[in-house]
Amino acid sequence: MNNEQMTTSLDDYITGLFGQDDEALRWIQSEADRNDLPQISVKPFEGRLLQILVHAVGARKIVEIGTLAGYSGTWLARALPADGKLFTLERSSKHADVARASFQRSGVADKIEIILGDATESLRKLSAQKPFDFVFLDADKTGYLKYLDWAVENLRPGGIVAAHNALRHGKILAPENDDDKAMVAFNKALADNKRLDSTIIGVGDGLAVGILK
Ligand code: SAH
Ligand code: DHB
Ligand code: MG
């Protein structure tokens, strides 16, 4: 078995045990497909990992950068208490429309505000509502450094910043494009940031996680 086959088998093993989609989550993925959205959402077992982190910090206010069809947003919102709030940022109005239907379908719409527009501008306005408990980065990789700076300034102490695709399926070891290089720079900045205790959890495509001191 080569490395790639081993990774796939281990992913399947973890999915089989812990990370199961339910009907609403499967519906979201089929809507994403039907609307020709890219199939780049988190995997079920990555959604479960996000939920565990959200529960562990007792998060009530979450910011997600990169909504797509609302798949990861549904996992995140389900881990919030009834009066919790997820702000999810998306620049594509088509993606935001699909996500709006997804959040209705999965019954979490009343906990979610979709903020349409470029994330940098949306974050600037969202600062007025700080502090936040959890920030999830999953949009343009070349924006991650900027989003990290925002997270450090807008999280409460003990809050978590989590970033998807930290491993770029191994390409952080031999970067092939600007996104790979951006992730290498992001992981280094996270590691060097003195205000955070950080690591990369090697589940799925890697979740880089930092907790604010
Ligand atoms: N978190 C989602 C996947 C997000 S894919 C999930 O796991 O289900 C990345 C999304 O980020 C895309 O929908 C893309 O349109 C959006 N995006 C990319 N760059 C952005 C930016 N600068 N501002 C806002 N959204 C952005
Ligand atoms: C890409 C982006 C993602 O957030 C992801 O999870 C997978 C792929 C991409 O831009 O190719
Ligand atoms: Mg991603």
Side-chain angles (χ1 to χ4, degrees):
M1 202 187 270
N2 67 28
N3 264 341
E4 204 166 316
Q5 289 166 333
M6 177 69 91
T7 303
T8 304
S9 297
L10 292 174
D11 282 359
D12 289 347
Y13 172 76
I14 296 170
T15 303
L17 281 174
F18 306 109
Q20 316 257 5
D21 277 348
D22 61 15
E23 204 203 327
L25 288 163
R26 282 192 296 274
W27 184 88
I28 293 169
Q29 296 298 41
S30 64
E31 277 300 289
D33 215 20
R34 202 177 63 77
N35 286 282
D36 286 322
L37 267 51
Q39 294 283 357
I40 55 172
S41 72
V42 300
K43 297 287 191 303
F45 53 88
E46 294 174 313
R48 174 54 51 77
L49 173 59
L50 290 171
Q51 288 189 324
I52 288 172
L53 295 172
V54 167
H55 281 305
V57 298
R60 309 181 78 81
K61 280 164 70 188
I62 303 177
V63 177
E64 170 180 68
I65 308 176
T67 313
L68 193 62
Y71 184 83
S72 56
T74 292
W75 282 97
L76 288 165
R78 284 175 169 180
L80 280 169
D83 62 348
K85 189 99 189 169
L86 168 68
F87 301 89
T88 184
L89 280 46
E90 177 55 60
R91 71 176 167 198
S92 155
S93 56
K94 180 180 173 184
H95 296 184
D97 287 346
V98 175
R100 198 165 292 110
S102 296
F103 296 143
Q104 292 288 350
R105 180 68 176 74
S106 59
V108 292
D110 55 348
K111 291 190 211 172
I112 299 183
E113 189 175 322
I114 302 172
I115 304 179
L116 187 60
D118 182 72
T120 302
E121 180 60 15
S122 302
L123 289 173
R124 201 178 57 73
K125 293 181 192 149
L126 211 48
S127 285
Q129 299 192 55
K130 79 176 189 183
F132 296 90
D133 307 301
F134 195 93
V135 177
F136 176 49
L137 315 185
D138 196 18
D140 49 325
K141 308 312 164 200
T142 51
Y144 270 34
L145 273 180
K146 213 169 32 183
Y147 305 148
L148 177 64
D149 287 343
W150 187 90
V152 168
E153 293 309 317
N154 291 273
L155 280 170
R156 65 157 162 91
I160 279 183
V161 54
H164 193 228
N165 310 108
L167 298 176
R168 301 283 300 168
H169 299 290
K171 286 193 277 153
I172 36 108
L173 299 179
E176 289 170 13
N177 59 34
D178 286 350
D179 287 352
D180 300 338
K181 288 176 195 155
M183 198 60 70
V184 170
F186 172 83
N187 288 337
K188 176 81 173 107
L190 185 71
D192 289 348
N193 194 307
K194 299 280 189 293
R195 296 182 63 191
L196 299 163
D197 284 325
S198 305
T199 190
I200 294 173
I201 301 173
V203 166
D205 196 22
L207 192 72
V209 180
I211 187 161
L212 194 71
K213 292 179 192 170

